[in-house]
Amino acid sequence: MFPVCPRWRFRSLYGGGVVSAQEEQQPTRPDQNPVMDGYLEAIEQDARVQAMISQFGDEAFSKERFKEHMEVTRISSPSRYEIYRGIEMANRFKAAGFDGEAGSDYYTVFSPDGKMPGAAINIIDGGPVWNACAVVKGSTPDSVVDNVNIFSRPKVVIEGHIDTVNPASIEITDRTGNTIPAHVYDKVRIAPATDPLVSSPAELAAITETLNFDSDNKLIEDEAFNKAYKRFDNLSDAQANGGYRIYIPGYSDAMNNTMSVYQMAKLMREQGIKPVHDIWFCTTSGEEGRGNLVGMKQLYGYNQDAEVAELAEKGRNTLNIVANMSIDGGPMSIHYLGSYRYEVNYNSSNLAANAAMAAARAVAAIADVKSPSEQDPSKPKTTYTVGMVYPVGEDDGSKDTSFEIDMRSPVPETLEEINAIILPLYKKGADDENAKAGVNAVVQSIKWFGDRPAHRRSPHLMRTDPLIYAAWASWGMTKGTFRDLDQYPERSTSLNDNVPAAIGVPSVNMNIGVTAAGGGGHSFNEWGIPGKLEGEIANFKNVLYTLLAVAGMNGEDGSSEIVPAAYPDKAPRHVKETWE
Amino acid sequence: MFKKIRLFFALSAISMLALAGCSSSGDDPVVIPPSGSVSASYEAAFEGPGGHSNGAYGNVNAVHAAARAMALLETEAAALPATTRWTMSRFKGGNSVNSIAFDGAFTVKVEAADQAGIEAFKAALESAVAKGVKAENDFRGKTEGETNSQGGRVDVRGSVTQN
């Protein structure tokens, strides 16, 4: 049966509400907000904030940051197998001083069983979710919150994801949270930047020079380290001056960002900055592929399986998250690509008709599809891929084969269009194989598993939303283009914040990590070369100022306070509330 | 229902006989079933650059190339005698739904009247793989051996090996 896909119906208070024709005509740049400008200036002038920034950009500290980046990234962490990177991040948060009891000033939320206290749902798509969050408790008194418990205090989430596409899976041998087994440590290979990029897994495996780690997983500063740890402006600079490519899955997607979120938590703790709302610095599971955004779905209680009639069950923000900042590398994205993700299965009851062949007939036909934007370049970029194919279970595939397909577009119309083009081809694969074999044996079925609600903010809310304004204005403050742009960046992305956007929680997707050059994302040969610090420092400021402007900040002497007047203490709690 | 069960037993019996008739020589991968016909098994493997499903859209896809080759094999093998029969299995590749697959593969088991029939099939398979690869490269505007500015190959490649 064709799956019911109700997501286009959701609109939120903060974006996507019914928009008048007049509003559609308004320029899509935020209105000037003098109150927020004042906050941002006060944040910039705060000595503790400046100390955080100078520490982050300090050369010795940045070298340590790089080492931590490599130490964590070499722990293989496929979607739905993130337990070990989760354990590692929780341990690092605790070592950085987030070691108090839950509810104290600094504590870590993580459980090796993948459950999060206070979350509305825990086991998602049948599995545990290994989010690790470091909490800086804000100054909001408990009395302002209805039915308060330590986990329902108003909070801002800032997060980066810990799952990486390659490898596809690992063996989980210890679920206690006490150990990280040796087999999950990957090799971090390095090769001169003047060498051609490796073109196959075999070529990658042939690189013998690696970064080296001691028995405690500490990166050793040896000759290989000295070759790899040099910062460059760009690839030409690296090639001209002895730079090395560092090959490790997850280098940029997304561990340089995720580790920057961790560093921000550590530095905020060191500087003793007290926000008003709590801040949860989270390293989240499940952003990629089969992860199906489970990390965010846990944080926001988002239940993909709830029926449209039960909107109250669709998403329940019991953690009371008032604003979300995802550091996935988005260009200050506030619009979110929708996607259709299906698992298409072929099952044969008679070997005369072959399930693998039926799948191949369908994929071969799909491979010749020109997407709406390929047919008409004036349409929004619309893409598709058969990302995976595999025999199911113990079968060799002749009886039981599935493939997984991803289709994306920033607006529903073109997504529906590509879906309509491809949909008949699934069944055609089975029909053609049955016709060839002269039996009616292969049955095709489809399972919708990827719920990434598309979301486009209304121009009105784009102009007035405090989070968007803070990101926009602080970008200008830190990168010298304050209000010089004609409009807010319009690109849509398909990232973690699709989930808060669907609940109605304001969200923006930003970037901290900078490479001189990098590539191979989602492929076997992901690589990066460390970039110059200036870019990372500017991005760090941009994100930090935005975070403190929306979370609020108490003055060093307690006398002054940046009030997070932007949002109520109680966020939209569930999709029904948002919808009404 | 009985018919289905009988068919199941018949097929099981055939496959057990086939297993019993397998050559045990490690050097000779050719399986000789009791019927006297000759059989062999091949793996076709495909490699491409892979990439992000949306960000790297336009890259060639190794799973798409494998599927093209599987479909093309019917045309390439159309002229082979009716005694040459083959079965597809292990169509696999890719690491996540939101990626362009950098690898793809399938296995094909073939049975023919004699070794010449096997060789003819192998030639058809190699031709299908080459044409599948070319079709995928052509569709995405890539040429054999083409590299990007980094020196990494952007085309999809295919190979056939005997199991």
Side-chain angles (χ1 to χ4, degrees), chain A residues 166 197 199 245 288 354 361 367-368 374 381 385 389 396 406 523, chain B residues 49 53-54 57 61 68 74 88 90 93 95 98 140 150 153 157:
Chain A
N166 290 297
L197 186 64
S199 291
R245 281 196 180 84
E288 306 287 0
N354 185 298
R361 291 179 196 281
D368 270 335
E374 288 172 301
K381 182 180 176 184
T385 181
V389 62
D396 70 358
D406 171 69
S523 197
Chain B
S53 64
N54 189 256
Y57 187 70
N61 183 319
R68 290 176 188 278
E74 287 188 339
M88 291 291 187
R90 305 198 189 288
N95 270 358
N98 58 340
R140 297 291 173 193
Q150 313 277 321
R153 285 182 71 159
R157 294 86 72 189

PDB file of all heavy atoms in Angstrom, chain A residues 166 197 199 245 288 354 361 367-368 374 381 385 389 396 406 523, chain B residues 49 53-54 57 61 68 74 88 90 93 95 98 140 150 153 157:
ATOM      1  N   ASN A 166      30.158   6.186   6.483  1.00  0.00           N
ATOM      2  CA  ASN A 166      31.030   5.017   6.299  1.00  0.00           C
ATOM      3  C   ASN A 166      31.808   4.718   7.574  1.00  0.00           C
ATOM      4  O   ASN A 166      32.284   5.642   8.213  1.00  0.00           O
ATOM      5  CB  ASN A 166      32.008   5.266   5.144  1.00  0.00           C
ATOM      6  CG  ASN A 166      31.281   5.264   3.816  1.00  0.00           C
ATOM      7  OD1 ASN A 166      30.718   4.263   3.418  1.00  0.00           O
ATOM      8  ND2 ASN A 166      31.274   6.409   3.144  1.00  0.00           N
ATOM      9  N   LEU A 197      43.829  12.417  -5.630  1.00  0.00           N
ATOM     10  CA  LEU A 197      42.826  11.887  -4.706  1.00  0.00           C
ATOM     11  C   LEU A 197      42.656  10.387  -4.969  1.00  0.00           C
ATOM     12  O   LEU A 197      42.637   9.963  -6.120  1.00  0.00           O
ATOM     13  CB  LEU A 197      41.520  12.606  -4.997  1.00  0.00           C
ATOM     14  CG  LEU A 197      40.323  12.369  -4.089  1.00  0.00           C
ATOM     15  CD1 LEU A 197      40.621  12.870  -2.695  1.00  0.00           C
ATOM     16  CD2 LEU A 197      39.113  13.094  -4.660  1.00  0.00           C
ATOM     17  N   SER A 199      40.985   6.957  -5.757  1.00  0.00           N
ATOM     18  CA  SER A 199      39.786   6.713  -6.570  1.00  0.00           C
ATOM     19  C   SER A 199      39.048   5.438  -6.225  1.00  0.00           C
ATOM     20  O   SER A 199      38.017   5.149  -6.820  1.00  0.00           O
ATOM     21  CB  SER A 199      40.170   6.672  -8.057  1.00  0.00           C
ATOM     22  OG  SER A 199      40.549   7.949  -8.489  1.00  0.00           O
ATOM     23  N   ARG A 245      46.672  15.437   2.729  1.00  0.00           N
ATOM     24  CA  ARG A 245      45.262  15.091   2.881  1.00  0.00           C
ATOM     25  C   ARG A 245      45.122  14.127   4.056  1.00  0.00           C
ATOM     26  O   ARG A 245      45.914  13.196   4.187  1.00  0.00           O
ATOM     27  CB  ARG A 245      44.718  14.387   1.635  1.00  0.00           C
ATOM     28  CG  ARG A 245      44.372  15.302   0.494  1.00  0.00           C
ATOM     29  CD  ARG A 245      43.494  14.554  -0.521  1.00  0.00           C
ATOM     30  NE  ARG A 245      43.157  15.427  -1.638  1.00  0.00           N
ATOM     31  CZ  ARG A 245      43.953  15.614  -2.694  1.00  0.00           C
ATOM     32  NH1 ARG A 245      45.111  14.981  -2.780  1.00  0.00           N
ATOM     33  NH2 ARG A 245      43.578  16.433  -3.661  1.00  0.00           N
ATOM     34  N   GLU A 288      22.266  10.866   9.504  1.00  0.00           N
ATOM     35  CA  GLU A 288      22.447  10.338   8.152  1.00  0.00           C
ATOM     36  C   GLU A 288      21.468   9.200   7.860  1.00  0.00           C
ATOM     37  O   GLU A 288      20.981   8.541   8.777  1.00  0.00           O
ATOM     38  CB  GLU A 288      23.874   9.780   7.986  1.00  0.00           C
ATOM     39  CG  GLU A 288      25.001  10.743   8.336  1.00  0.00           C
ATOM     40  CD  GLU A 288      25.197  11.837   7.300  1.00  0.00           C
ATOM     41  OE1 GLU A 288      24.465  11.867   6.300  1.00  0.00           O
ATOM     42  OE2 GLU A 288      26.082  12.680   7.502  1.00  0.00           O
ATOM     43  N   ASN A 354      13.062 -13.804 -10.721  1.00  0.00           N
ATOM     44  CA  ASN A 354      14.180 -13.504  -9.824  1.00  0.00           C
ATOM     45  C   ASN A 354      14.010 -12.123  -9.187  1.00  0.00           C
ATOM     46  O   ASN A 354      13.856 -11.111  -9.891  1.00  0.00           O
ATOM     47  CB  ASN A 354      15.463 -13.585 -10.659  1.00  0.00           C
ATOM     48  CG  ASN A 354      16.716 -13.409  -9.847  1.00  0.00           C
ATOM     49  OD1 ASN A 354      16.918 -12.358  -9.244  1.00  0.00           O
ATOM     50  ND2 ASN A 354      17.550 -14.434  -9.828  1.00  0.00           N
ATOM     51  N   ARG A 361      15.834  -4.319 -12.790  1.00  0.00           N
ATOM     52  CA  ARG A 361      15.038  -3.710 -13.877  1.00  0.00           C
ATOM     53  C   ARG A 361      14.493  -2.357 -13.428  1.00  0.00           C
ATOM     54  O   ARG A 361      14.490  -1.394 -14.197  1.00  0.00           O
ATOM     55  CB  ARG A 361      13.877  -4.628 -14.256  1.00  0.00           C
ATOM     56  CG  ARG A 361      14.291  -5.915 -14.936  1.00  0.00           C
ATOM     57  CD  ARG A 361      13.045  -6.763 -15.250  1.00  0.00           C
ATOM     58  NE  ARG A 361      13.393  -8.149 -15.550  1.00  0.00           N
ATOM     59  CZ  ARG A 361      13.861  -8.569 -16.727  1.00  0.00           C
ATOM     60  NH1 ARG A 361      14.045  -7.708 -17.719  1.00  0.00           N
ATOM     61  NH2 ARG A 361      14.157  -9.836 -16.915  1.00  0.00           N
ATOM     62  N   ALA A 367      17.519   4.860 -13.231  1.00  0.00           N
ATOM     63  CA  ALA A 367      18.806   5.492 -13.566  1.00  0.00           C
ATOM     64  C   ALA A 367      18.700   6.385 -14.799  1.00  0.00           C
ATOM     65  O   ALA A 367      19.545   7.252 -15.017  1.00  0.00           O
ATOM     66  CB  ALA A 367      19.870   4.409 -13.789  1.00  0.00           C
ATOM     67  N   ASP A 368      17.662   6.184 -15.602  1.00  0.00           N
ATOM     68  CA  ASP A 368      17.490   7.004 -16.806  1.00  0.00           C
ATOM     69  C   ASP A 368      16.525   8.169 -16.612  1.00  0.00           C
ATOM     70  O   ASP A 368      16.200   8.865 -17.567  1.00  0.00           O
ATOM     71  CB  ASP A 368      16.978   6.114 -17.960  1.00  0.00           C
ATOM     72  CG  ASP A 368      18.125   5.523 -18.762  1.00  0.00           C
ATOM     73  OD1 ASP A 368      19.227   6.129 -18.764  1.00  0.00           O
ATOM     74  OD2 ASP A 368      17.940   4.452 -19.374  1.00  0.00           O
ATOM     75  N   GLU A 374      16.346  18.859 -13.966  1.00  0.00           N
ATOM     76  CA  GLU A 374      17.181  18.525 -15.132  1.00  0.00           C
ATOM     77  C   GLU A 374      16.402  18.737 -16.424  1.00  0.00           C
ATOM     78  O   GLU A 374      16.960  19.108 -17.460  1.00  0.00           O
ATOM     79  CB  GLU A 374      17.679  17.081 -15.031  1.00  0.00           C
ATOM     80  CG  GLU A 374      18.747  16.901 -13.961  1.00  0.00           C
ATOM     81  CD  GLU A 374      19.109  15.452 -13.705  1.00  0.00           C
ATOM     82  OE1 GLU A 374      18.214  14.655 -13.336  1.00  0.00           O
ATOM     83  OE2 GLU A 374      20.288  15.107 -13.882  1.00  0.00           O
ATOM     84  N   LYS A 381      16.200  22.694  -7.567  1.00  0.00           N
ATOM     85  CA  LYS A 381      17.044  21.502  -7.704  1.00  0.00           C
ATOM     86  C   LYS A 381      16.363  20.276  -7.077  1.00  0.00           C
ATOM     87  O   LYS A 381      16.045  20.272  -5.889  1.00  0.00           O
ATOM     88  CB  LYS A 381      18.387  21.739  -7.027  1.00  0.00           C
ATOM     89  CG  LYS A 381      19.355  20.559  -7.152  1.00  0.00           C
ATOM     90  CD  LYS A 381      20.675  20.869  -6.461  1.00  0.00           C
ATOM     91  CE  LYS A 381      21.604  19.664  -6.496  1.00  0.00           C
ATOM     92  NZ  LYS A 381      22.854  19.904  -5.764  1.00  0.00           N
ATOM     93  N   THR A 385      18.526   9.312  -5.795  1.00  0.00           N
ATOM     94  CA  THR A 385      19.571   8.306  -5.868  1.00  0.00           C
ATOM     95  C   THR A 385      19.037   6.990  -5.335  1.00  0.00           C
ATOM     96  O   THR A 385      18.244   6.983  -4.390  1.00  0.00           O
ATOM     97  CB  THR A 385      20.815   8.702  -5.038  1.00  0.00           C
ATOM     98  OG1 THR A 385      21.822   7.689  -5.164  1.00  0.00           O
ATOM     99  CG2 THR A 385      20.509   8.828  -3.551  1.00  0.00           C
ATOM    100  N   VAL A 389      21.442  -1.093  -2.256  1.00  0.00           N
ATOM    101  CA  VAL A 389      20.683  -2.280  -2.660  1.00  0.00           C
ATOM    102  C   VAL A 389      21.316  -3.469  -1.959  1.00  0.00           C
ATOM    103  O   VAL A 389      22.540  -3.480  -1.738  1.00  0.00           O
ATOM    104  CB  VAL A 389      20.654  -2.430  -4.198  1.00  0.00           C
ATOM    105  CG1 VAL A 389      22.047  -2.605  -4.779  1.00  0.00           C
ATOM    106  CG2 VAL A 389      19.772  -3.598  -4.626  1.00  0.00           C
ATOM    107  N   ASP A 396      20.266 -15.026  -0.858  1.00  0.00           N
ATOM    108  CA  ASP A 396      21.301 -14.493  -1.762  1.00  0.00           C
ATOM    109  C   ASP A 396      20.715 -13.416  -2.674  1.00  0.00           C
ATOM    110  O   ASP A 396      21.401 -12.933  -3.580  1.00  0.00           O
ATOM    111  CB  ASP A 396      21.953 -15.630  -2.563  1.00  0.00           C
ATOM    112  CG  ASP A 396      21.013 -16.233  -3.605  1.00  0.00           C
ATOM    113  OD1 ASP A 396      19.833 -15.790  -3.695  1.00  0.00           O
ATOM    114  OD2 ASP A 396      21.452 -17.141  -4.322  1.00  0.00           O
ATOM    115  N   ASP A 406      16.308   7.761  -2.275  1.00  0.00           N
ATOM    116  CA  ASP A 406      16.172   9.082  -1.653  1.00  0.00           C
ATOM    117  C   ASP A 406      15.838  10.087  -2.752  1.00  0.00           C
ATOM    118  O   ASP A 406      16.484  10.098  -3.801  1.00  0.00           O
ATOM    119  CB  ASP A 406      17.517   9.436  -0.991  1.00  0.00           C
ATOM    120  CG  ASP A 406      17.621  10.858  -0.477  1.00  0.00           C
ATOM    121  OD1 ASP A 406      16.944  11.189   0.491  1.00  0.00           O
ATOM    122  OD2 ASP A 406      18.424  11.642  -1.035  1.00  0.00           O
ATOM    123  N   SER A 523      31.320   9.296   0.942  1.00  0.00           N
ATOM    124  CA  SER A 523      31.964   8.254   0.141  1.00  0.00           C
ATOM    125  C   SER A 523      33.115   7.648   0.938  1.00  0.00           C
ATOM    126  O   SER A 523      33.379   8.036   2.073  1.00  0.00           O
ATOM    127  CB  SER A 523      32.437   8.834  -1.194  1.00  0.00           C
ATOM    128  OG  SER A 523      32.700   7.790  -2.100  1.00  0.00           O
TER     129      SER A 523
ATOM    130  N   PRO B  49      32.842   7.365  -7.920  1.00  0.00           N
ATOM    131  CA  PRO B  49      33.287   8.338  -6.917  1.00  0.00           C
ATOM    132  C   PRO B  49      32.372   8.419  -5.704  1.00  0.00           C
ATOM    133  O   PRO B  49      32.781   8.912  -4.654  1.00  0.00           O
ATOM    134  CB  PRO B  49      33.274   9.661  -7.686  1.00  0.00           C
ATOM    135  CG  PRO B  49      32.245   9.457  -8.753  1.00  0.00           C
ATOM    136  CD  PRO B  49      32.323   7.999  -9.135  1.00  0.00           C
ATOM    137  N   SER B  53      23.976  12.515  -1.694  1.00  0.00           N
ATOM    138  CA  SER B  53      22.880  12.336  -2.643  1.00  0.00           C
ATOM    139  C   SER B  53      22.409  13.654  -3.258  1.00  0.00           C
ATOM    140  O   SER B  53      22.044  13.699  -4.420  1.00  0.00           O
ATOM    141  CB  SER B  53      21.704  11.634  -1.966  1.00  0.00           C
ATOM    142  OG  SER B  53      21.179  12.437  -0.927  1.00  0.00           O
ATOM    143  N   ASN B  54      22.440  14.714  -2.468  1.00  0.00           N
ATOM    144  CA  ASN B  54      21.965  16.006  -2.966  1.00  0.00           C
ATOM    145  C   ASN B  54      23.139  16.893  -3.374  1.00  0.00           C
ATOM    146  O   ASN B  54      23.178  17.432  -4.484  1.00  0.00           O
ATOM    147  CB  ASN B  54      21.115  16.678  -1.878  1.00  0.00           C
ATOM    148  CG  ASN B  54      20.401  17.924  -2.375  1.00  0.00           C
ATOM    149  OD1 ASN B  54      20.806  19.031  -2.066  1.00  0.00           O
ATOM    150  ND2 ASN B  54      19.344  17.753  -3.146  1.00  0.00           N
ATOM    151  N   TYR B  57      24.965  15.601  -6.410  1.00  0.00           N
ATOM    152  CA  TYR B  57      24.057  15.094  -7.451  1.00  0.00           C
ATOM    153  C   TYR B  57      24.661  15.375  -8.826  1.00  0.00           C
ATOM    154  O   TYR B  57      25.173  16.469  -9.086  1.00  0.00           O
ATOM    155  CB  TYR B  57      22.687  15.747  -7.341  1.00  0.00           C
ATOM    156  CG  TYR B  57      21.692  15.125  -8.299  1.00  0.00           C
ATOM    157  CD1 TYR B  57      21.236  13.844  -8.088  1.00  0.00           C
ATOM    158  CD2 TYR B  57      21.268  15.807  -9.435  1.00  0.00           C
ATOM    159  CE1 TYR B  57      20.357  13.238  -8.971  1.00  0.00           C
ATOM    160  CE2 TYR B  57      20.384  15.220 -10.326  1.00  0.00           C
ATOM    161  CZ  TYR B  57      19.936  13.937 -10.095  1.00  0.00           C
ATOM    162  OH  TYR B  57      19.077  13.346 -10.982  1.00  0.00           O
ATOM    163  N   ASN B  61      26.575   6.747 -10.401  1.00  0.00           N
ATOM    164  CA  ASN B  61      26.181   5.906  -9.272  1.00  0.00           C
ATOM    165  C   ASN B  61      26.506   4.452  -9.624  1.00  0.00           C
ATOM    166  O   ASN B  61      26.042   3.918 -10.643  1.00  0.00           O
ATOM    167  CB  ASN B  61      24.676   6.100  -9.032  1.00  0.00           C
ATOM    168  CG  ASN B  61      24.154   5.331  -7.842  1.00  0.00           C
ATOM    169  OD1 ASN B  61      24.528   4.186  -7.615  1.00  0.00           O
ATOM    170  ND2 ASN B  61      23.260   5.955  -7.093  1.00  0.00           N
ATOM    171  N   ARG B  68      22.025  -1.298 -14.696  1.00  0.00           N
ATOM    172  CA  ARG B  68      22.019  -1.183 -16.167  1.00  0.00           C
ATOM    173  C   ARG B  68      22.649  -2.427 -16.796  1.00  0.00           C
ATOM    174  O   ARG B  68      22.147  -2.966 -17.786  1.00  0.00           O
ATOM    175  CB  ARG B  68      22.812   0.056 -16.598  1.00  0.00           C
ATOM    176  CG  ARG B  68      22.152   1.386 -16.265  1.00  0.00           C
ATOM    177  CD  ARG B  68      23.112   2.519 -16.672  1.00  0.00           C
ATOM    178  NE  ARG B  68      22.699   3.835 -16.244  1.00  0.00           N
ATOM    179  CZ  ARG B  68      21.815   4.611 -16.880  1.00  0.00           C
ATOM    180  NH1 ARG B  68      21.218   4.177 -17.967  1.00  0.00           N
ATOM    181  NH2 ARG B  68      21.530   5.816 -16.414  1.00  0.00           N
ATOM    182  N   GLU B  74      20.538  -9.291 -20.799  1.00  0.00           N
ATOM    183  CA  GLU B  74      19.535 -10.034 -21.570  1.00  0.00           C
ATOM    184  C   GLU B  74      19.717  -9.835 -23.061  1.00  0.00           C
ATOM    185  O   GLU B  74      19.596 -10.764 -23.845  1.00  0.00           O
ATOM    186  CB  GLU B  74      18.132  -9.582 -21.166  1.00  0.00           C
ATOM    187  CG  GLU B  74      17.806 -10.123 -19.812  1.00  0.00           C
ATOM    188  CD  GLU B  74      16.383  -9.897 -19.411  1.00  0.00           C
ATOM    189  OE1 GLU B  74      15.738  -8.992 -19.974  1.00  0.00           O
ATOM    190  OE2 GLU B  74      15.934 -10.636 -18.527  1.00  0.00           O
ATOM    191  N   MET B  88      20.579 -14.539 -11.486  1.00  0.00           N
ATOM    192  CA  MET B  88      21.160 -13.378 -10.812  1.00  0.00           C
ATOM    193  C   MET B  88      21.005 -13.510  -9.290  1.00  0.00           C
ATOM    194  O   MET B  88      19.975 -13.989  -8.809  1.00  0.00           O
ATOM    195  CB  MET B  88      20.414 -12.106 -11.225  1.00  0.00           C
ATOM    196  CG  MET B  88      20.638 -11.701 -12.645  1.00  0.00           C
ATOM    197  SD  MET B  88      22.346 -11.144 -12.856  1.00  0.00           S
ATOM    198  CE  MET B  88      22.217 -10.548 -14.557  1.00  0.00           C
ATOM    199  N   ARG B  90      22.800 -11.643  -5.333  1.00  0.00           N
ATOM    200  CA  ARG B  90      23.730 -10.723  -4.660  1.00  0.00           C
ATOM    201  C   ARG B  90      23.881  -9.382  -5.372  1.00  0.00           C
ATOM    202  O   ARG B  90      24.988  -8.889  -5.567  1.00  0.00           O
ATOM    203  CB  ARG B  90      25.100 -11.372  -4.448  1.00  0.00           C
ATOM    204  CG  ARG B  90      24.985 -12.680  -3.705  1.00  0.00           C
ATOM    205  CD  ARG B  90      26.284 -13.176  -3.086  1.00  0.00           C
ATOM    206  NE  ARG B  90      26.102 -14.535  -2.592  1.00  0.00           N
ATOM    207  CZ  ARG B  90      25.392 -14.863  -1.509  1.00  0.00           C
ATOM    208  NH1 ARG B  90      24.841 -13.916  -0.771  1.00  0.00           N
ATOM    209  NH2 ARG B  90      25.240 -16.118  -1.156  1.00  0.00           N
ATOM    210  N   GLY B  93      25.121  -3.006  -3.027  1.00  0.00           N
ATOM    211  CA  GLY B  93      26.019  -1.854  -3.135  1.00  0.00           C
ATOM    212  C   GLY B  93      25.500  -0.685  -2.342  1.00  0.00           C
ATOM    213  O   GLY B  93      24.341  -0.655  -1.921  1.00  0.00           O
ATOM    214  N   ASN B  95      26.227   2.447   0.811  1.00  0.00           N
ATOM    215  CA  ASN B  95      26.304   2.407   2.268  1.00  0.00           C
ATOM    216  C   ASN B  95      25.194   3.152   2.985  1.00  0.00           C
ATOM    217  O   ASN B  95      24.983   2.950   4.158  1.00  0.00           O
ATOM    218  CB  ASN B  95      27.653   2.970   2.743  1.00  0.00           C
ATOM    219  CG  ASN B  95      28.701   1.894   2.861  1.00  0.00           C
ATOM    220  OD1 ASN B  95      28.411   0.715   2.630  1.00  0.00           O
ATOM    221  ND2 ASN B  95      29.898   2.268   3.212  1.00  0.00           N
ATOM    222  N   ASN B  98      21.143   8.113   1.676  1.00  0.00           N
ATOM    223  CA  ASN B  98      21.358   9.505   1.263  1.00  0.00           C
ATOM    224  C   ASN B  98      22.712   9.713   0.603  1.00  0.00           C
ATOM    225  O   ASN B  98      23.313  10.771   0.711  1.00  0.00           O
ATOM    226  CB  ASN B  98      21.184  10.452   2.455  1.00  0.00           C
ATOM    227  CG  ASN B  98      22.121  10.136   3.603  1.00  0.00           C
ATOM    228  OD1 ASN B  98      22.645   9.030   3.703  1.00  0.00           O
ATOM    229  ND2 ASN B  98      22.339  11.109   4.461  1.00  0.00           N
ATOM    230  N   ARG B 140      25.465  10.737 -17.267  1.00  0.00           N
ATOM    231  CA  ARG B 140      25.905  11.821 -16.384  1.00  0.00           C
ATOM    232  C   ARG B 140      27.017  12.657 -17.005  1.00  0.00           C
ATOM    233  O   ARG B 140      27.675  13.457 -16.319  1.00  0.00           O
ATOM    234  CB  ARG B 140      26.368  11.248 -15.034  1.00  0.00           C
ATOM    235  CG  ARG B 140      25.261  10.551 -14.252  1.00  0.00           C
ATOM    236  CD  ARG B 140      24.226  11.543 -13.751  1.00  0.00           C
ATOM    237  NE  ARG B 140      23.071  10.871 -13.151  1.00  0.00           N
ATOM    238  CZ  ARG B 140      21.930  11.487 -12.858  1.00  0.00           C
ATOM    239  NH1 ARG B 140      21.787  12.774 -13.086  1.00  0.00           N
ATOM    240  NH2 ARG B 140      20.930  10.828 -12.329  1.00  0.00           N
ATOM    241  N   GLN B 150      41.129  17.299  -8.429  1.00  0.00           N
ATOM    242  CA  GLN B 150      41.950  16.690  -7.380  1.00  0.00           C
ATOM    243  C   GLN B 150      42.710  15.470  -7.894  1.00  0.00           C
ATOM    244  O   GLN B 150      43.450  14.847  -7.132  1.00  0.00           O
ATOM    245  CB  GLN B 150      41.055  16.200  -6.239  1.00  0.00           C
ATOM    246  CG  GLN B 150      40.022  17.195  -5.790  1.00  0.00           C
ATOM    247  CD  GLN B 150      40.591  18.172  -4.823  1.00  0.00           C
ATOM    248  OE1 GLN B 150      41.388  17.791  -3.978  1.00  0.00           O
ATOM    249  NE2 GLN B 150      40.235  19.423  -4.964  1.00  0.00           N
ATOM    250  N   ARG B 153      39.189   9.962  -9.836  1.00  0.00           N
ATOM    251  CA  ARG B 153      38.372   9.589 -10.990  1.00  0.00           C
ATOM    252  C   ARG B 153      36.902   9.889 -10.746  1.00  0.00           C
ATOM    253  O   ARG B 153      36.384   9.677  -9.652  1.00  0.00           O
ATOM    254  CB  ARG B 153      38.573   8.111 -11.314  1.00  0.00           C
ATOM    255  CG  ARG B 153      39.920   7.875 -11.981  1.00  0.00           C
ATOM    256  CD  ARG B 153      40.131   6.435 -12.348  1.00  0.00           C
ATOM    257  NE  ARG B 153      39.273   6.030 -13.466  1.00  0.00           N
ATOM    258  CZ  ARG B 153      39.536   4.974 -14.221  1.00  0.00           C
ATOM    259  NH1 ARG B 153      40.604   4.218 -13.980  1.00  0.00           N
ATOM    260  NH2 ARG B 153      38.723   4.635 -15.206  1.00  0.00           N
ATOM    261  N   ARG B 157      33.552   2.490 -13.088  1.00  0.00           N
ATOM    262  CA  ARG B 157      34.293   1.411 -13.739  1.00  0.00           C
ATOM    263  C   ARG B 157      33.653   0.084 -13.370  1.00  0.00           C
ATOM    264  O   ARG B 157      33.053  -0.035 -12.309  1.00  0.00           O
ATOM    265  CB  ARG B 157      35.759   1.360 -13.250  1.00  0.00           C
ATOM    266  CG  ARG B 157      36.613   2.549 -13.610  1.00  0.00           C
ATOM    267  CD  ARG B 157      36.515   3.713 -12.632  1.00  0.00           C
ATOM    268  NE  ARG B 157      37.164   3.498 -11.349  1.00  0.00           N
ATOM    269  CZ  ARG B 157      37.063   4.303 -10.305  1.00  0.00           C
ATOM    270  NH1 ARG B 157      36.328   5.398 -10.365  1.00  0.00           N
ATOM    271  NH2 ARG B 157      37.689   4.042  -9.183  1.00  0.00           N
TER     272      ARG B 157
END
